[in-house]
Amino acid sequence: MEKKFFSRLSILMLSLLLVAGSISYFPKSAKAYTSGTSLDNRVIFQSFSLYMPYESNMYKILSAKGSELKDWGITDIWLPPAYRSFNMARYMEGYAIADRYDLGEFNQGPNNTRPTKYGTSDELKSMVSALHASGLKVQEDLVPNQVLGLGKREAVYVTRVDQNGNLFKNPYTTGLTTQIRADLYLAYTKGGGEGQAKYGYIKEWNKKYFNGTSVQGQGMDRVMKDSEGIPYRYFGPNNPKNHLPSWLNEAAAANKINTVDTYLSVDGWYAAKDASTSDNYWKPMLMNYDPGYLKYMKSHGYSTVDDILYVSSFSRQGLNIGYSKTLFLYTFGYRALLARCNFRKRCNISV
């Protein structure tokens, strides 16, 4: 009897605790922005020059316009993110970040210039002081999670999933479940910039800090493979673990093969002539790896092999912008499709 009593009492106490835990306390008043005089009297000037030219003068202009803005009745200035933008962002406006600790302090802008699209870090500080002196408050968009401009790749294994972590099904095409499951992928996961290195707790990002990524504008199957689907790898001269096609033997002996974590990428390069004595003659791997590459490049304005093998004093970097874009389009589209059809014995593209 006593045992049954204590059992019922325990159940009752547990029930009361659950009920009490589900009851929330709602105060009569709280500090929140609600419609009223203190909020309605604010007039915010949105100084977003997102789609304007890259002139790096917004901070200077605002510094000089504080009194005029105050006379207009403006109370707050709303600024775009001050971060260093990813250099491939369309408008370089600060919402795709390359270095979130560089507000215009380091020479990491276009052509190694210091200012961001809006100005230097010193000009940002001066502008805030000038606006405060004019009786204006300053607001700024902060998007520290939007790091998009990491410049170095690492080899990772990826599975394509939806926003809930389930296997991806493309509703706009076949609706079939993705075939990308634990596939090798060369992701841009390493970097951070000079500001990150100087001020960041994490001095350089790498793959261990991420649990996912976007498709990053790349097709799958950028890792070069043999006819059996085994990835080519290069660990260094005469390394027994090397797995390479024979046309890379000379470059391998001279340690002049471009790799990503020992893997060969379809957009990689190698020393193709006098590799042991010269550093001025590099070839795209695709010239030997993919027979369709030459035909594709010729149809896009590169009529001869010499046009493709554009060599200058910059050596490997001596490629003009037009060529680089054409190579990117080839490896993103046709190359990805070809690799899946040839090496996977299927053409179910769900990238």
Side-chain angles (χ1 to χ4, degrees):
M1 184 70 178
E2 184 177 343
K3 184 177 180 181
K4 186 179 293 185
F5 169 77
F6 281 109
S7 177
R8 289 178 178 177
L9 180 61
S10 299
I11 294 173
L12 177 61
M13 291 177 66
L14 179 60
S15 301
L16 289 173
L17 285 172
L18 290 172
V19 171
S22 65
I23 298 174
S24 299
Y25 170 70
F26 296 100
K28 292 182 179 180
S29 62
K31 292 183 179 180
Y33 284 108
T34 57
S35 181
T37 304
S38 60
L39 180 64
D40 294 345
N41 285 341
R42 314 304 299 180
V43 180
I44 301 173
F45 180 84
Q46 184 180 10
S47 184
F48 278 31
S49 55
L50 301 186
Y51 310 114
M52 302 298 287
Y54 196 104
E55 296 177 333
S56 303
N57 59 6
M58 189 184 77
Y59 297 152
K60 290 181 180 179
I61 292 173
L62 286 174
S63 293
K65 297 288 186 180
S67 297
E68 184 176 353
L69 291 166
K70 183 69 174 179
D71 291 341
W72 289 358
I74 302 298
T75 61
D76 301 73
I77 307 298
W78 183 13
L79 301 174
Y83 310 112
R84 174 69 63 195
S85 177
F86 175 37
N87 61 14
M88 290 182 67
R90 180 174 296 179
Y91 300 109
M92 307 282 282
E93 74 294 330
Y95 284 98
I97 307 167
D99 186 343
R100 60 183 182 179
Y101 290 91
D102 183 7
L103 309 184
E105 178 181 350
F106 303 95
N107 296 330
Q108 299 185 117
N111 300 315
N112 296 317
T113 53
R114 181 185 170 193
T116 66
K117 184 172 185 174
Y118 311 113
T120 67
S121 56
D122 293 331
E123 290 166 351
L124 171 60
K125 296 172 188 176
S126 297
M127 177 206 66
V128 172
S129 296
L131 293 177
H132 283 172
S134 297
L136 298 167
K137 291 189 174 183
V138 180
Q139 304 175 13
E140 181 167 339
D141 260 15
L142 297 176
V143 288
N145 60 308
Q146 294 181 201
V147 178
L148 190 65
L150 300 180
K152 302 174 187 176
R153 289 187 292 182
E154 295 178 287
V156 296
Y157 285 92
V158 296
T159 296
R160 191 164 192 197
V161 297
D162 60 22
Q163 65 271 26
N164 299 313
N166 301 315
L167 288 175
F168 181 75
K169 294 182 180 181
N170 195 328
Y172 305 106
T173 55
T174 60
L176 297 176
T177 302
T178 181
Q179 296 297 312
I180 302 173
R181 307 182 192 186
D183 284 9
L184 197 57
Y185 190 66
L186 304 181
Y188 287 93
T189 52
K190 192 172 184 179
E194 295 179 53
Q196 181 89 25
K198 182 176 180 178
Y199 300 114
Y201 178 76
I202 298 171
K203 299 302 181 183
E204 184 180 54
W205 297 110
N206 62 58
K207 60 188 178 184
K208 74 179 183 180
Y209 297 110
F210 302 100
N211 63 2
T213 178
S214 68
V215 294
Q216 299 186 337
Q218 299 187 93
M220 293 295 296
D221 290 291
R222 295 176 79 86
V223 174
M224 292 170 51
K225 303 170 185 175
D226 64 19
S227 59
E228 300 299 320
I230 300 173
Y232 287 122
R233 302 189 73 176
Y234 177 64
F235 294 86
N238 304 314
N239 192 303
K241 294 189 292 184
N242 288 346
H243 177 53
L244 298 169
S246 59
W247 47 267
L248 282 175
N249 287 344
E250 181 183 358
N255 197 25
K256 293 182 179 179
I257 299 177
N258 174 233
T259 64
V260 179
D261 288 345
T262 73
Y263 292 96
L264 276 61
S265 172
V266 294
D267 54 5
W269 296 80
Y270 72 101
K273 183 179 180 181
D274 302 324
S276 61
T277 59
S278 173
D279 197 37
N280 292 321
Y281 195 85
W282 289 69
K283 261 188 179 182
M285 303 237 197
L286 284 170
M287 290 193 69
N288 290 311
Y289 180 62
D290 185 348
Y293 171 69
L294 287 176
K295 180 179 179 181
Y296 180 91
M297 296 303 284
K298 287 179 180 179
S299 69
H300 285 77
Y302 298 86
S303 56
T304 68
V305 172
D306 287 337
D307 288 333
I308 294 175
L309 296 180
Y310 173 74
V311 180
S312 73
S313 58
F314 292 103
S315 186
R316 285 171 290 179
Q317 306 302 323
L319 301 172
N320 61 44
I321 294 174
Y323 174 85
S324 298
K325 287 182 177 179
T326 306
L327 176 64
F328 169 79
L329 290 173
Y330 180 83
T331 56
F332 174 71
Y334 172 78
R335 176 66 221 161
L337 177 60
L338 181 70
R340 281 207 168 272
C341 291
N342 286 356
F343 297 145
R344 297 297 186 84
K345 306 297 190 297
R346 65 172 184 265
C347 293
N348 296 330
I349 306 301
S350 52
V351 184

